[in-house]
C-alpha cells in the first residue's frame, strides 16, 4: 500500500520538488519580513500598540476568505500564483521610502496588500496542488511543505533581525521582494494541465453571494471537512488562549525573563518540523480522525504540563504543542482537498482558513484579558481538559463517512497551514 510513496518519492517528483523550492524561497523572505515589520514600526514610532498592529494587518484579510477565495476559482491557478508573486515583488521596494514616523502608513498599506495576496495565494495553491503533485503524493508532500515552512521560521528571523540591525528595514523588504520574484519564477516552471471545463462551470454559477458562499456550502455538506474544520477551529481557539499566556508561563511559572519565550517558541518550532516529516506516513497508516485526535491530545497535554514549574517539563510541553498542533491543520485541509470539487476548491480552502484562524485571533484577545484575572496555573489545565474533550469527540463522534476510510487506506493529504501559532 505504501510502496513507492514517501519522502524520496516526493523529492524525485518534478512538480513536488519545484513547489517545495518555491515554498522555501518565499517562506524565507516572508518570515523575515513579518518579524521585522513590528520591529521597524516600534523603532520609528516607539509605540508597542502600532507594532502589534502589524501582525493584525497581515492576518486581517483571512477573515474575508470566502470573498478572496472566489477570486482564485475562475482563474488559471498557476498563472495566478506567478502573478501574485510578481505583484509583491514590485510592491515591496516601495518600503525603501519609509524613513520617518509620518510614513509608517506605507508599511501598513503594503502589509494589507500582503495579507490579501497571501489569502488568494493560499486558495489558489490549495486548488492547484492536487493537480500538480497527484493525490498519491499529497500526504507526504504536505508534511514536507509544513517542515519547509517551519524550518524557515527557525532561520529567517535571525537573518531578518541581523539585516535590520545592520542595514535597516528597507534591506529586509528588498530581500523579500527578491524571494517573491524567485518563487514566481519557480511556480512558472510547474507543468500542470488545469481543467478548463471547471472554470467554465464557475462562470455559469449564480452571481453574487451564492457564488461567494459556495465554498462554505461544500464544506458543510461533506461530513469529513465539516468535522475536521470544526475541530481545527476549536483547537486553534485553545491555541490562541495558550499563546496569550505564554509570557505568564515564562515569568510567573518558570521565573525567567520575557526573552525566555523565544526558547519556548524555538522548541515548539522544532516539534512542528518533526511533525511535518512524519505526517504523511502516519496519514497512510491511521484513519484521519485517529491521526487528528492523537495530535489534539498531544497538543492538549503539552499545554497542561507548562503549568508545572520545571524548565525541562516546559520544553517538552512546547515540543508536544509544536508536534500536535499541525496534525489537525493538515487533516482538515486534507479533507477539504479530497472531498470538495475542484471548481469550488479555492473558495472552500479560503473559507476553511477563515473558520480555523479567526477563532485563534479572537482567543488571543480573550486570553490577554483572562490572564489578568485567572492564574495561569489554573487556566492551562482547563485548556488541557477542553483539548482532550475535543480529541475524544473526534474519536467517539459520528463517523465522517467514506472520506475517513479512504484516507486510512489510500493515504490522502492536504495543504498544511502555518502551525506555529503563538
Amino acid at each position: 500500500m505504501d510502496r513507492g510513496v514517501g519522502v524520496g518519492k516526493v523529492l524525485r517528483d518534478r512538480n513536488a520538488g519545484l513547489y517545495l523550492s518555491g515554498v522555501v524561497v518565499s517562506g524565507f523572505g516572508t518570515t523575515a519580513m513579518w518579524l521585522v515589520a513590528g520591529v521597524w514600526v516600534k523603532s520609528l514610532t516607539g509605540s508597542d500598540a502600532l507594532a502589534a498592529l502589524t501582525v493584525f494587518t497581515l492576518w486581517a484579510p483571512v477573515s474575508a476568505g470566502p470573498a478572496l477565495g472566489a477570486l482564485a476559482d475562475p482563474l488559471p491557478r498557476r498563472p495566478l500564483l506567478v502573478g501574485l508573486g510578481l505583484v509583491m515583488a514590485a510592491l515591496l521596494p516601495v518600503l525603501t521610502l519609509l524613513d520617518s514616523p509620518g510614513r509608517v502608513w506605507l508599511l501598513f498599506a503594503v502589509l494589507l496588500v500582503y495579507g490579501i495576496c497571501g489569502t488568494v495565494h493560499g486558495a489558489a495553491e490549495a486548488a492547484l496542488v492536487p493537480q500538480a503533485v497527484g493525490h498519491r503524493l499529497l500526504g507526504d508532500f504536505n508534511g514536507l511543505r509544513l517542515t519547509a515552512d517551519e524550518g524557515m521560521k527557525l532561520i529567517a528571523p535571525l537573518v531578518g533581525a541581523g539585516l535590520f540591525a545592520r542595514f535597516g528595514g528597507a534591506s529586509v523588504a528588498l530581500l523579500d521582494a527578491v524571494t517573491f520574484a524567485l518563487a514566481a519564477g519557480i511556480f512558472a516552471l510547474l507543468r500542470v494541465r488545469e481543467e478548463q471545463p471547471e472554470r467554465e462551470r464557475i462562470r455559469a454559477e449564480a452571481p453574487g453571494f451564492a457564488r461567494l458562499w459556495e465554498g462554505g456550502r461544500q464544506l458543510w455538506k461533506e461530513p469529513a471537512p465539516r468535522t475536521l474544520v470544526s475541530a481545527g477551529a476549536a483547537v486553534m481557539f485553545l491555541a490562541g488562549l495558550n499563546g496569550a499566556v505564554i509570557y505568564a508561563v515564562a515569568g510567573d511559572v518558570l521565573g525567567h525573563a520575557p526573552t525566555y519565550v523565544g526558547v519556548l517558541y524555538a522548541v515548539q518550532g522544532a516539534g512542528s518540523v518533526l511533525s511535518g516529516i512524519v505526517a504523511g506516513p502516519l496519514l497512510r497508516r491511521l484513519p484521519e480522525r485517529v491521526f487528528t485526535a492523537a495530535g489534539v491530545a498531544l497538543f492538549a497535554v503539552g499545554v497542561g504540563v507548562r503549568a508545572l514549574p520545571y524548565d525541562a517539563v516546559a520544553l517538552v510541553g512546547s515540543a508536544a504543542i509544536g508536534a500536535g498542533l499541525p496534525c489537525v491543520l493538515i487533516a482538515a485541509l486534507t479533507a477539504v482537498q479530497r472531498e470538495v470539487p475542484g471548481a469550488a476548491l479555492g473558495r472552500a480552502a479560503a473559507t476553511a482558513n477563515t473558520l480555523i484562524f479567526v477563532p485563534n485571533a479572537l482567543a488571543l484577545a480573550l486570553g490577554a484579558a483572562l490572564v489578568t484575572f485567572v492564574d495561569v496555573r489554573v487556566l492551562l489545565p482547563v485548556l488541557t481538559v477542553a483539548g482532550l474533550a475535543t480529541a475524544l469527540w473526534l474519536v467517539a463522534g459520528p463517523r465522517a463517512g467514506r472520506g475517513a476510510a479512504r484516507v486510512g487506506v489510500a493515504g490522502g493529504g492536504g495543504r498544511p497551514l502555518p502551525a506555529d501559532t503563538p
Side-chain angles (χ1 to χ4, degrees), residues 19 76-87 117 120-126 128-129 180 183-185 187-188 190:
Y19 242 119
R77 277 97 180 222
R78 183 179 64 87
L80 179 58
L81 293 180
V82 174
L84 290 170
L86 294 177
V87 166
C117 287
V120 177
H121 189 286
E125 183 183 322
L128 183 63
V129 162
F180 267 113
F187 290 136
L190 292 171

Side-chain angles (χ1 to χ4, degrees), residues 188-206:
L189 296 175
L190 292 171
R191 296 172 182 169
V192 185
R193 178 175 294 179
E194 298 192 58
E195 299 178 15
Q196 183 67 24
E198 283 191 351
R199 296 200 298 273
E200 295 300 329
R201 287 199 298 273
I202 294 168
R203 295 187 181 102
E205 290 177 2

